[in-house]
């Protein structure tokens, strides 16, 4: 069976990669540049690292900071309208997944009619017809993988939806771990577990193949071996570099193999309770993997081995149980709650979460175990109680 693999055109990776920015902007014929970022990064002065070399070339720059975590649809609509009005010829996204996703939307939809809502995956009725204006994406976290994917995620009233098409792929990604040094421990943890989730779900996805397997397993090795240090000592160059490469590889893996149950169930948590995407994934990761464990025991053995656990004396089933425990321990070690109670979510919320979770059909289709509403409810209940449950195979 053949597999389609898609990669964005150019990536610059490694410490100091930001030095390539002006060369790439010049290659893309920039003259009027929009920089989409969040206000925190402007306060830190990080936008100067982007603006100063561009303006030294004589190019005009505009900084747009109306970016919020888990951006709602109206934030996307406002940015797209601003981009259309000002005739930019290059969009640079600087920040975490929210800024990068919004930059992708702005660049593509700047040349399209209608509103962002018209292009949403679940409810939109318009199709993208061209790739819009060029985009350079520069992540400042090691987590979302947005710089290498064709998806932009937006929050709706109680869940999330996406705009997705290969036209959203950036022209250039610049992945410089030096830009992540100032990331606070809490954000380092949440985005790092997000990246780990990308790799784990890509590895057990129904769409996995030998190429994505290699990317995913190396991402798991790098992230699981470095995230604790990165959280404890943000200035550790080796840990930050490993996290940056791990996130990048995980992004390539999940873009081509897809994510599944963890992400499908994380979206309603973010939509209903405004928990960050990384924390939503983190709190669910052990419980989703524990529930689907019987369907992917051998792959979970590979995962826990990549996490550095010696499983040579364990059979596949024993190792898969060890994998679930290791995932739960890692989440706890980076100070993320390991149950929904830790986020003040009551048992009375589980039904509405399950109702929204089952709607994520595009993502759920990749799960190695089919998940019905009763399964989704059972996983949320396990995450609420803090006790791993599993699907009983007939």
């Amino acid at each position: 069976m053949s597999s389609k693999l898609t990669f964005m055109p150019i990536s610059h990776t490694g410490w100091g990669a930001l030095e390539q920015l002006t060369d790439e902007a010049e290659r893309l014929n920039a003259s009027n540049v929009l920089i989409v970022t969040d206000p925190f990064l402007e306060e830190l002065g990080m936008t100067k690292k982007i603006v100063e070399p561009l303006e030294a070339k004589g190019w005009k720059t505009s900084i747009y900071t109306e970016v919020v975590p888990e951006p709602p649809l109206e934030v996307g609509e406002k940015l797209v309208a601003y981009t259309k009005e000002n005739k930019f010829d290059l969009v640079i996204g600087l920040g975490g997944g929210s800024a990068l996703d919004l930059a992708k939307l702005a660049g593509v939809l700047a040349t399209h009619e209608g509103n962002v809502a018209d292009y949403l995956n679940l409810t939109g009725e318009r199709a993208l017809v061209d790739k819009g204006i060029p985009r350079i994406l520069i992540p400042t976290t090691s987590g979302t993988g947005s710089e290498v994917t064709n998806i932009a995620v937006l929050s709706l009233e109680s869940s999330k939806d996406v705009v997705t098409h290969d036209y959203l792929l950036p022209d250039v990604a610049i992945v410089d771990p030096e830009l992540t040094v100032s990331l606070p421990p809490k954000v380092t943890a949440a985005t790092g577990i997000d990246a780990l989730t990308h790799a784990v779900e890509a590895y057990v996805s129904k769409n996995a193949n030998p190429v994505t397997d290699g990317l995913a397993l190396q991402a798991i090795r790098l992230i699981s071996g470095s995230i604790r240090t990165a959280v404890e000592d943000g200035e550790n160059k080796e840990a930050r570099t490993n996290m940056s490469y791990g996130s990048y590889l995980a992004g390539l893996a999940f873009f081509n193999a897809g994510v599944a149950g963890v992400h499908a169930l994380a979206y309603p948590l973010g939509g209903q309770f405004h928990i960050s995407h990384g924390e939503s994934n983190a709190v669910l990761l052990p419980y989703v993997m524990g529930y689907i464990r019987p369907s992917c025991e051998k792959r979970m053995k590979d995962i826990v081995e990549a996490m550095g656990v010696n499983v040579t004396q364990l059979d596949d089933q024993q190792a898969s149980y060890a994998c679930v425990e290791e995932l739960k321990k890692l989440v706890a070690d980076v100070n993320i709650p390991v149950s929904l109670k830790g986020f003040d979510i009551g048992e009375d919320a589980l039904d509405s979460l399950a109702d929204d979770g089952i709607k994520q059909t595009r993502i759920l289709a990749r799960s190695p175990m089919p998940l019905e509403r009763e399964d989704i409810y059972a996983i949320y209940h396990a995450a609420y109680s803090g006790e791993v449950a599993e699907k009983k195979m007939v």
Side-chain angles (χ1 to χ4, degrees):
M1 181 178 173
S2 66
S3 300
K4 177 190 175 186
L5 295 166
T6 304
F7 299 95
M8 39 81 60
I10 295 175
S11 297
H12 296 281
T13 61
W15 204 270
L18 187 61
E19 294 174 4
Q20 305 301 318
L21 173 62
T22 53
D23 286 348
E24 290 296 346
E26 193 164 27
R27 184 179 65 82
L28 295 169
N29 298 313
S31 61
N32 185 19
V33 183
L34 171 63
I35 300 163
V36 180
T37 190
D38 65 62
F40 176 68
L41 292 179
E42 188 171 33
E43 288 172 19
L44 282 178
M46 196 170 289
T47 51
K48 292 180 181 178
K49 296 181 179 182
I50 309 298
V51 170
E52 290 178 355
L54 295 176
E55 292 189 343
K57 290 278 189 178
W59 300 327
K60 180 182 177 183
T61 63
S62 299
I63 300 174
Y64 188 96
T65 61
E66 294 183 45
V67 172
V68 296
E70 318 298 322
L73 176 61
E74 50 268 29
V75 170
E77 299 283 14
K78 187 174 181 181
L79 171 59
V80 168
Y82 176 81
T83 308
K84 288 179 178 180
E85 289 166 10
N86 288 277
K87 309 296 183 186
F88 297 105
D89 54 27
L90 175 66
V91 178
I92 295 175
L94 174 72
S98 297
L100 302 189
D101 281 6
L102 288 169
K104 287 191 279 192
L105 276 181
V108 174
L109 292 182
T111 60
H112 286 74
E113 296 180 353
N115 299 315
V116 178
D118 298 327
Y119 298 91
L120 290 173
N121 178 66
L122 295 177
T123 57
E125 296 181 351
R126 287 180 180 263
L128 298 176
V129 295
D130 64 64
K131 68 189 298 290
I133 59 179
R135 295 170 299 286
I136 298 175
L137 300 188
I138 307 171
T140 60
T141 69
S142 298
T144 69
S146 180
E147 71 276 8
V148 297
T149 70
N150 67 357
I151 299 172
V153 183
L154 295 165
S155 296
L156 306 181
E157 286 187 9
S158 64
S159 189
K160 296 186 179 183
D161 201 353
V162 302
V163 178
T164 178
H165 192 286
D166 282 353
Y167 287 146
L168 269 76
L169 284 168
D171 297 270
V172 179
I174 297 177
V175 184
D176 188 339
E178 189 173 3
L179 300 179
T180 70
V181 168
S182 60
L183 207 62
K186 183 178 179 180
V187 183
T188 299
T191 56
I193 297 293
D194 186 18
L196 180 67
T197 304
H198 292 153
V200 168
E201 291 215 279
Y203 192 66
V204 302
S205 167
K206 287 172 65 175
N207 296 338
N209 62 68
V211 176
T212 61
D213 286 350
L215 295 167
L217 287 175
Q218 181 64 359
I220 292 166
R221 293 184 192 103
L222 290 169
I223 296 166
S224 64
S226 301
I227 187 170
R228 293 176 176 90
T229 302
V231 170
E232 293 169 7
D233 177 12
E235 296 188 0
N236 186 296
K237 184 174 180 179
E238 181 181 8
R240 287 298 193 186
T241 299
N242 287 344
M243 290 299 296
S244 186
Y245 274 110
S247 172
Y248 175 75
L249 292 170
L252 294 175
F254 95 82
F255 175 44
N256 283 284
V259 289
V262 181
H263 277 72
L265 274 63
Y267 281 173
L269 276 185
Q272 293 188 30
F273 295 98
H274 308 292
I275 301 170
S276 77
H277 179 63
E279 289 177 317
S280 297
N281 276 331
V283 72
L284 291 170
L285 179 60
Y287 303 103
V288 173
M289 297 307 297
Y291 194 81
I292 69 170
R293 185 202 59 76
S295 69
C296 50
E297 290 179 346
K298 173 63 173 71
R299 295 225 146 209
M300 290 179 68
K301 183 176 184 179
D302 296 340
I303 290 168
V304 74
E305 194 167 31
M307 294 179 74
V309 177
N310 185 348
V311 293
T312 54
Q313 302 302 314
L314 303 181
D315 62 24
D316 292 352
Q317 183 184 64
Q318 293 168 329
S320 67
Y321 281 119
C323 180
V324 175
E325 291 306 310
E326 189 67 17
L327 291 171
K328 191 173 183 180
K329 181 176 184 296
L330 182 57
V331 172
D333 284 351
V334 295
N335 302 312
I336 297 175
V338 291
S339 78
L340 297 182
K341 293 176 184 175
F343 292 99
D344 296 322
I345 296 174
E347 192 171 6
D348 58 349
L350 303 186
D351 268 314
S352 64
L353 288 170
D355 287 341
D356 283 343
I358 195 62
K359 296 175 184 175
Q360 298 294 331
T361 53
R362 177 183 63 88
I363 306 176
L364 289 170
R366 306 184 193 112
S367 175
M369 174 186 289
L371 296 175
E372 306 295 338
R373 188 192 179 282
E374 63 185 37
D375 301 309
I376 290 171
Y377 183 90
I379 293 168
Y380 280 129
H381 192 274
Y384 166 77
S385 68
E387 298 295 329
V388 176
E390 69 178 51
K391 175 81 168 182
K392 300 303 179 185
M393 304 296 282
V394 180

